[in-house]
Amino acid sequence: MTLLKAKIAKPVIFPLTFIAAIAVSMGFALSYIESNSKKNIHTSLETILQISQEALILWSGSRLDDLSDIASDPDIIALTSTLLDTHNNKSDHLNSAALNSLRSMMVHKMSKHEDKGFFIIAPDRSSVASMRDSNMGTENIINKVRKSHLDRVFLGEEVFIPTIHSDVPLETKTGALRAHEPTLFIAAPIMDKNGQVLAVLTLRLNPLVHFTRITELGRIGNSGETYGFDNKGLLITRSRFTHHLKSTGEIGNDEIAMLSIRIADPGGNLLKGYVPYRPMNERPLTLMATRAISGDTTAYLESYRDYRGVLVFGAWLWNDDLGVGLTTEIDADEALLTFQLTRTIILSVMTLIILLTLGLVIIPLWFQEREKKALRKYNENLEQTVLERTVELEQANENLKALSEIDPLTGIANRRLYEHTLSKEMASAKRTLHPVSLIIIDIDNFKLYNDNYGHDEGDVILRKVAKLIANSTARTTDLVARYGGEEFAVVMPATDEEGAFHLASLIRNYVEAQGFEHRFSDTANTVTVSIGVASLSGPTFNSTDLFKQADAALYQAKENGRNQVVLYDKDKCGIMSNP
């Protein structure tokens, strides 16, 4: 298996490079597709949002125009003036003819759009006319909840008043009366002939009939939702996810989300079992609500949590004329479904490419390995033979290296390696200006030793002397080589003449101390050596000069009687012997 892995490694380098390039390209492609998908999602949401806003503006504008026509009706103005007089005089006008006439007129006018009621609000903000006697003479609910909107009407504006809780029980779809039902109003000023605001006329509308239905038309997909909220972040339209909110305990089973849900971030996905640690009124508003209420409509392309804690994409706005915020949102999982599908396809294709690419490399190698195993069944020794041949080849390489750089007799460096090393060290010394020293060693009277003891014994002495020289130097940077015949050389980089002379003296002493018999020597009865030492430094010297100096010193050592060390002096060949 290890052999197979080793053989697979090299052929798969190119396929792996190819796969890596494909992976990087697909990564960039997926990133681009994701970014483009998010931009398209926001564009779609923004389009729906603008359409929803335009629909609300058209609907509210149409209703306000109708209300303005009613408020400018001379009969309405006259009746309102009468009611204001009796109101200001603290008179009881519950059974007055003016109130009954006004109610009759308003019932007729409200029937056109099936409106739920009306108010005429005096400047002191109390109700002077309504369909219900219980509202008469009391502070109007609009002034309690949406005072700023009512202030605008008394300044002469026609105003849409967002959803609030009704102050009286209202009839539901089933015909039952229920308190605190959502309601909304449109309001217009009633003016006298001088253009002064006498009072405010409002119509009570059912938010579930038009306002919420318009936002519900802005839904896209299975999870898309368009909804409105007020400046406190309170939901003022119907929620698409009432069943979610009930199942998670956000609202009761008999409640609706409108006016019961604050557009706040629960901190986690309620639909996946997350339990908020804060009550709804203490949670921060969602990113969307926070930005919309502050007027920040900058495009936001990333997902955020909605009031259910579900990650959604959204677009939002704040409409100052209507006094409401609008948003269109869709669950991130659904919005990115196409991208997720595209990513799955791309990753699947990439996986297939990887498998095919590796298969085209590995399968042939696998079959090849099977064939080799079949062959090994017929020749069990094939692998061993290959290993033996490999060992032989390595041995041959070692032998070739030995022949090239190692002296076969003594086992130390040969002249070729010596010359290469000396040249290299000289070049280095010229750059560093460090000295280089050279020691040349010659075995005294070696010819007489060979002639009398035989060449075999002479070879033994050569090996012993070579070993002694090699053992004398402790530095790995020093090179001991056989120069030729009975001559040896020691190359010593970064060594001055004093250090080189010291080592040469040590070598001479070691050889003499061994007491190898040599009865035919004219210097002693044992084998001895003569040594020449030279040292050079500076940018201009060369290996030839160094060798000549060391050789001259060796010659002087022989002339002086052998068995001594001579250090070359450039002025004279001075003898520094250590007999």
Side-chain angles (χ1 to χ4, degrees):
M1 183 59 70
T2 302
L3 183 62
L4 176 62
K5 288 181 180 179
K7 292 183 177 181
I8 289 176
K10 187 174 181 180
V12 300
I13 291 177
F14 175 76
L16 288 179
T17 303
F18 171 74
I19 290 171
I22 291 294
V24 171
S25 299
M26 288 188 173
F28 280 115
L30 284 174
S31 178
Y32 172 78
I33 293 172
E34 181 180 16
S35 175
N36 198 52
S37 297
K38 290 179 178 179
K39 290 179 182 177
N40 290 337
I41 291 168
H42 186 270
T43 299
S44 299
L45 294 174
E46 184 69 26
T47 300
I48 292 170
L49 182 66
Q50 293 301 326
I51 292 173
S52 299
Q53 178 182 227
E54 289 301 319
L56 283 175
I57 291 173
L58 289 174
W59 168 75
S60 62
S62 174
R63 292 308 319 272
L64 286 171
D65 287 343
D66 291 341
L67 182 61
S68 180
D69 290 341
I70 296 173
S72 60
D73 186 317
D75 293 334
I76 297 293
I77 296 172
L79 291 171
T80 299
S81 296
T82 301
L83 290 173
L84 287 173
D85 289 340
T86 58
H87 172 72
N88 293 333
N89 294 326
K90 308 296 182 181
S91 303
D92 180 11
H93 59 266
L94 286 177
N95 298 313
S96 68
L99 179 59
N100 291 331
S101 297
L102 187 60
R103 284 177 174 175
S104 297
M105 292 180 64
M106 290 304 300
V107 167
H108 174 70
K109 294 180 181 296
M110 288 189 301
S111 63
K112 179 180 178 182
H113 296 285
E114 298 181 356
D115 299 326
K116 299 300 180 181
F118 77 96
F119 283 123
I120 291 181
I121 306 170
D124 64 1
R125 309 304 169 93
S126 63
S127 301
V128 295
S130 174
M131 293 300 297
R132 292 180 174 83
D133 291 344
S134 59
N135 292 325
M136 304 295 289
T138 62
E139 182 184 1
N140 190 269
I141 183 64
I142 299 173
N143 194 64
K144 294 178 181 179
V145 183
R146 306 285 188 198
K147 183 177 184 299
S148 60
H149 290 74
L150 192 57
D151 290 342
R152 290 167 54 193
V153 187
F154 274 104
L155 292 175
E157 293 185 49
E158 298 164 0
V159 176
F160 172 87
I161 300 173
T163 312
I164 59 175
H165 281 296
S166 173
D167 56 335
V168 295
L170 296 179
E171 187 176 315
T172 63
K173 290 190 296 185
T174 61
L177 291 176
R178 185 161 61 182
H180 302 296
E181 279 289 285
T183 187
L184 63 81
F185 295 89
I186 53 174
I190 299 175
M191 298 183 180
D192 61 17
K193 61 183 179 180
N194 297 319
Q196 299 298 314
V197 177
L198 292 174
V200 169
L201 173 64
T202 70
L203 287 179
R204 183 193 296 270
L205 311 182
N206 186 349
L208 299 177
V209 175
H210 295 288
F211 183 41
T212 287
R213 285 184 181 178
I214 290 173
T215 59
E216 287 175 345
L217 292 174
R219 296 176 177 178
I220 58 173
N222 296 320
S223 61
E225 180 183 27
T226 298
Y227 58 89
F229 49 93
D230 64 14
N231 58 2
K232 295 181 180 179
L234 198 64
L235 183 68
I236 59 174
T237 56
R238 187 159 45 195
S239 170
R240 182 175 192 169
F241 305 109
T242 301
H243 58 294
H244 288 168
L245 299 170
K246 289 181 179 180
S247 66
T248 57
E250 291 292 282
I251 59 176
N253 290 330
D254 59 344
E255 292 183 297
I256 61 173
M258 189 186 305
L259 298 177
S260 298
I261 290 296
R262 185 167 174 266
I263 314 302
D265 182 358
N269 192 332
L270 299 177
L271 305 187
K272 293 184 177 180
Y274 177 78
V275 178
Y277 62 91
R278 295 180 182 177
M280 188 186 301
N281 61 346
E282 294 180 7
R283 300 173 195 167
L285 294 178
T286 65
L287 179 142
M288 177 281 300
T290 301
R291 292 194 174 193
I293 293 172
S294 67
D296 183 359
T297 58
T298 305
Y300 188 78
L301 303 183
E302 300 303 321
S303 60
Y304 57 87
R305 284 192 294 267
D306 68 356
Y307 56 85
R308 301 168 297 153
V310 177
L311 289 176
V312 297
F313 291 102
W316 55 81
L317 59 83
W318 182 264
N319 188 299
D320 287 323
D321 292 333
L322 297 177
V324 300
L326 288 176
T327 183
T328 298
E329 295 175 334
I330 186 171
D331 287 5
D333 287 343
E334 182 181 4
L336 292 176
L337 188 60
T338 302
F339 166 71
Q340 299 289 0
L341 179 61
T342 302
R343 183 174 66 177
T344 300
I345 294 172
I346 290 177
L347 292 178
S348 299
V349 171
M350 180 177 174
T351 301
L352 182 61
I353 291 174
I354 292 173
L355 293 176
L356 289 176
T357 303
L358 293 178
L360 291 173
V361 176
I362 295 174
I363 290 176
L365 292 174
W366 181 73
F367 278 111
Q368 183 181 5
E369 186 64 21
R370 287 194 63 185
E371 291 175 1
K372 288 182 180 180
K373 287 182 179 180
L375 290 174
R376 280 198 292 270
K377 290 181 181 179
Y378 298 100
N379 187 3
E380 295 179 355
N381 295 325
L382 179 60
E383 186 176 347
Q384 183 62 34
T385 302
V386 172
L387 291 175
E388 291 174 357
R389 295 293 172 84
T390 302
V391 171
E392 291 175 2
L393 181 60
E394 291 175 352
Q395 186 61 47
N397 288 335
E398 290 295 327
N399 293 339
L400 181 61
K401 182 177 180 181
L403 291 174
S404 174
E405 297 182 342
I406 304 301
D407 178 62
L409 176 62
T410 60
I412 62 176
N414 61 13
R415 183 167 177 173
R416 180 172 179 270
L417 182 56
Y418 152 77
E419 291 177 346
H420 173 73
T421 302
L422 181 60
S423 177
K424 180 184 71 173
E425 296 298 343
M426 293 295 285
S428 176
K430 287 181 180 181
R431 293 192 303 271
T432 62
L433 301 181
H434 291 160
V436 177
S437 296
L438 177 64
I439 299 173
I440 299 180
I441 305 162
D442 183 78
I443 300 177
D444 295 330
N445 299 304
F446 186 70
K447 185 177 184 304
L448 294 174
Y449 191 95
N450 265 344
D451 292 344
N452 290 280
Y453 290 96
H455 288 282
D456 289 341
E457 288 298 321
D459 290 346
V460 171
I461 287 298
L462 286 173
R463 285 193 289 270
K464 289 182 177 180
V465 171
K467 185 176 181 180
L468 285 171
I469 298 171
N471 290 340
S472 298
T473 175
R475 300 194 313 173
T476 57
T477 54
D478 295 342
L479 176 74
V480 177
R482 185 183 179 192
Y483 187 77
E486 67 274 22
E487 285 189 342
F488 301 91
V490 180
V491 179
M492 304 179 69
T495 304
D496 58 15
E497 58 186 22
E498 182 179 350
F501 185 84
H502 174 75
L503 178 61
S505 299
L506 192 64
I507 292 171
R508 190 201 67 78
N509 288 334
Y510 279 171
V511 173
E512 184 179 30
Q514 299 305 309
F516 300 133
E517 181 182 316
H518 188 355
R519 291 182 284 108
F520 304 97
S521 173
D522 59 4
T523 58
N525 292 325
T526 60
V527 174
T528 60
V529 293
S530 296
I531 303 176
V533 180
S535 181
L536 289 178
S537 62
T540 59
F541 67 90
N542 56 56
S543 57
T544 302
D545 295 338
L546 183 62
F547 177 80
K548 286 180 178 180
Q549 292 179 11
D551 189 55
L554 174 62
Y555 178 80
Q556 186 62 45
K558 291 180 180 181
E559 285 294 313
N560 292 346
R562 297 188 177 88
N563 191 23
Q564 58 187 275
V565 178
V566 172
L567 175 64
Y568 180 83
D569 190 304
K570 64 180 180 179
D571 297 323
K572 60 179 180 176
C573 192
I575 301 173
M576 296 179 66
S577 61
N578 187 15

